[in-house]
Amino acid sequence: MQNTDTTKYIIHGKINADGVIEKPDIVGAIFGQTEGLLGADLDLRDLQKTGRIGRIEVVVNSKSGKTKGNIFIPSSLDRVESSILAAAMETIDRVGPCNAKIEITQIEDVRATKRKHIVDRAKLILTTMFDENLPESQEISDEVRESVRIEEMQYYGKNKIPCGPNVVDSDAIIVVEGRADVLNLLRYGIKNAVCVGGTNVPPEISELTRKKTVTAFTDGDRGGELIVKELLQVADIDYIARAPDGKTVEDLVQREIVRALRQKVPTEQAVDMYSLRDNSSNAGDSSKRKEKKQADTKRLSSAKVSKRNPREAVTVKKPVKAPIKPATKKAIDNQQKDQKPTEASSKNQALALNDTFNAHVSDLSGTLTARLLDDKEDIIIEMPVRDLVNTLKEHSGNIKSIIFDGVITQRILDIAADKGIENLVGAKVGNIAKTPATVNVISSNNLIN
């Protein structure tokens, strides 16, 4: 009999016979034709007497003069011995008066089956029998912390818009889509978030964004893109951050939230990145409002400086220019000769830049991708435009040129100057207040085709 306590493996085999045979015929053939084949240590009769081989089970079915069936041999031998025994079964070629063929199809590990049963049963026990027990200490801490943060949620305006407790007092706020997004940010200690509740942006949000630095943080799906478009029309947005593709803000963990907010891009660049060109007029209005804010800030700074240092606020006389003597014809001719080589060299330099970068510009057009080139014009690295700033900060190699399908901003230009980069080629140039003399700023729209 099979000892279920010691069985490790079950050998599965199939038998096909050209005739009608029965179970005793097959068992007899197995014992008879393997006797002495494998030596005394692996003799089936001795193995069965010592309990190392269990009872051989055979299930057969005869039809149209043919017999087919399955053979099951329990074994407590190790893997090697069980494999040898299984291979010996396939040497049997006759059962009684009939030609037969045995084929081993599987060696089942009984312990693995038991382990699977244990895992499935443990899952069921864990889900059904521990519901009424008290939670662990960490679960208690998380539950208390979650309840406190839910209590921290406040409501803004007459429409009772869910927001964090620091939205009114903070100089910078984060605009998200729904109440669950605000709760998720509160869970990780971000208390200056306010939601718009879908695509219908409340007027209180529009008014609030005109007084603060605003980052729109939306889901990484089509709905998030539509909300960005509407916010650009009705609100004053400074930066745009998106969740990873296919994910929502309410499902992000702390690491993903921090990464997404660090990778936020200015509105002018986001218009190009997220194909929001139809809202370019609204983005222009936003840029005008920002320029007005900057101008007001400069006037306030000037007023503060004048108030602190009254002695420095003196009238500066314009220098008197010396009278310019009429130039002689010879001097004019010499000046024109000096200027002609300079103009020719500038034109040759522009043509060289076009020949070098036109191929890269064509490849990157519409891909929102950036390439970093070395001094031999070979590609060092290629990445999405949203990762360009972080890559430039972390990269320490020799970068000569940057070509990307995006807007050249002051931030990217300053980093390029610090890194000693000579050429900066973008789809177009944004609001640049100061251009370093060491960087050639080129718009791909102006390249010679």
Side-chain angles (χ1 to χ4, degrees):
M1 295 296 290
Q2 174 184 347
N3 190 345
T4 57
D5 294 333
T6 60
T7 299
K8 297 179 181 178
Y9 306 100
I10 297 179
I11 302 171
H12 294 249
K14 287 184 178 181
I15 183 170
N16 293 310
D18 296 333
V20 178
I21 56 178
E22 296 180 353
K23 176 180 175 179
D25 301 325
I26 299 173
V27 175
I30 292 174
F31 280 100
Q33 295 186 36
T34 58
E35 184 176 3
L37 181 63
L38 303 177
D41 293 339
L42 293 178
D43 183 75
L44 282 180
R45 297 186 187 276
D46 294 338
L47 291 175
Q48 197 170 49
K49 288 179 181 179
T50 58
R52 303 181 69 187
I53 289 293
R55 181 183 179 85
I56 300 176
E57 300 290 341
V58 179
V59 179
V60 292
N61 184 23
S62 300
K63 186 177 181 181
S64 302
K66 304 286 184 182
T67 301
K68 294 182 179 181
N70 296 313
I71 302 173
F72 305 96
I73 304 177
S75 169
S76 61
L77 303 171
D78 60 20
R79 288 188 176 186
V80 175
E81 293 173 335
S82 297
S83 301
I84 294 173
L85 185 61
M89 296 296 103
E90 294 187 341
T91 62
I92 298 172
D93 55 0
R94 292 187 67 84
V95 176
C98 307
N99 293 327
K101 180 180 180 183
I102 296 178
E103 179 184 0
I104 301 302
T105 58
Q106 179 188 1
I107 297 182
E108 177 186 354
D109 190 338
V110 177
R111 293 168 298 179
T113 304
K114 290 180 179 179
R115 291 190 196 105
K116 185 177 183 304
H117 171 75
I118 291 171
V119 171
D120 294 340
R121 182 59 181 166
K123 290 179 182 178
L124 182 62
I125 293 173
L126 181 64
T127 56
T128 58
M129 300 186 183
F130 283 90
D131 289 343
E132 298 179 358
N133 291 345
L134 292 176
E136 297 180 358
S137 58
Q138 183 62 37
E139 295 175 352
I140 295 174
S141 301
D142 294 340
E143 185 176 350
V144 173
R145 191 178 295 112
E146 180 73 14
S147 63
V148 170
R149 283 170 179 163
I150 292 176
E151 290 176 0
E152 285 181 345
M153 177 176 286
Q154 298 182 2
Y155 299 92
Y156 179 80
K158 63 180 181 180
N159 290 328
K160 303 295 182 181
I161 302 169
C163 64
N166 295 348
V167 165
V168 177
D169 298 330
S170 178
D171 294 331
I173 62 173
I174 300 174
V175 177
V176 295
E177 296 186 24
R179 182 178 182 273
D181 300 340
V182 176
L183 278 176
N184 194 35
L185 295 182
L186 281 175
R187 181 179 294 113
Y188 299 113
I190 300 175
K191 301 180 180 181
N192 61 334
V194 61
C195 72
V196 295
T199 56
N200 188 15
V201 179
E204 294 97 325
I205 299 297
S206 301
E207 184 64 27
L208 184 64
T209 58
R210 293 183 175 89
K211 305 174 185 177
K212 302 177 183 294
T213 302
V214 182
T215 299
F217 189 16
T218 59
D219 298 340
D221 53 12
R222 175 63 176 167
E225 184 175 335
L226 294 176
I227 290 179
V228 169
K229 290 184 178 182
E230 181 170 354
L231 285 172
L232 289 177
Q233 293 180 4
V234 301
D236 187 1
I237 304 299
D238 299 286
Y239 300 96
I240 293 177
R242 299 291 302 278
D245 292 341
K247 289 190 175 182
T248 59
V249 175
E250 63 181 285
D251 296 330
L252 300 182
V253 297
Q254 185 176 15
R255 175 173 50 85
E256 294 173 320
I257 292 173
V258 172
R259 184 189 299 120
L261 291 176
R262 284 179 178 174
Q263 293 177 351
K264 65 183 180 182
V265 294
T267 303
E268 298 86 351
Q269 188 168 336
V271 167
D272 228 27
M273 289 177 60
Y274 297 112
S275 303
L276 306 176
R277 301 181 188 275
D278 53 337
N279 296 319
S280 57
S281 60
N282 298 290
D285 295 340
S286 177
S287 300
K288 291 179 181 178
R289 289 195 295 269
K290 291 175 187 175
E291 292 174 0
K292 185 177 179 182
K293 289 180 182 178
Q294 294 173 356
D296 293 340
T297 304
K298 290 180 180 179
R299 284 198 298 271
L300 290 173
S301 300
S302 301
K304 291 179 181 178
V305 171
S306 300
K307 187 175 181 180
R308 284 197 304 267
N309 303 314
R311 294 181 182 178
E312 296 180 3
V314 296
T315 304
V316 181
K317 295 183 180 180
K318 295 182 179 179
V320 180
K321 295 183 180 180
I324 301 174
K325 295 180 180 180
T328 62
K329 181 177 181 183
K330 184 177 180 180
I332 293 174
D333 293 340
N334 292 334
Q335 184 178 3
Q336 291 177 352
K337 290 178 181 179
D338 294 338
Q339 291 177 350
K340 286 181 181 178
T342 304
E343 294 175 358
S345 61
S346 299
K347 185 174 181 180
N348 291 335
Q349 183 181 5
L351 290 173
L353 289 175
N354 295 343
D355 293 339
T356 303
F357 299 137
N358 262 335
H360 294 291
V361 170
S362 299
D363 294 342
L364 300 179
S365 178
T367 63
L368 299 179
T369 306
R371 288 178 179 175
L372 307 183
L373 309 181
D374 58 13
D375 52 0
K376 296 181 181 180
E377 309 301 343
D378 294 329
I379 299 175
I380 301 175
I381 189 172
E382 184 171 324
M383 83 293 294
V385 172
R386 67 171 64 185
D387 299 334
L388 178 58
V389 172
N390 291 334
T391 302
L392 287 177
K393 289 181 179 179
E394 298 172 359
H395 200 280
S396 58
N398 181 22
I399 305 174
K400 180 180 179 182
S401 305
I402 301 175
I403 306 175
F404 68 105
D405 182 33
V407 181
I408 300 176
T409 62
Q410 186 68 58
R411 185 184 183 190
I412 296 177
L413 186 56
D414 292 340
I415 296 175
D418 293 339
K419 292 286 186 179
I421 297 169
E422 298 180 8
N423 304 308
L424 184 59
V425 182
K428 63 180 180 178
V429 180
N431 296 327
I432 303 298
K434 180 180 68 174
T435 303
T438 58
V439 183
N440 297 323
V441 180
I442 306 170
S443 172
S444 60
N445 295 331
N446 298 329
L447 287 175
I448 300 174
N449 296 322

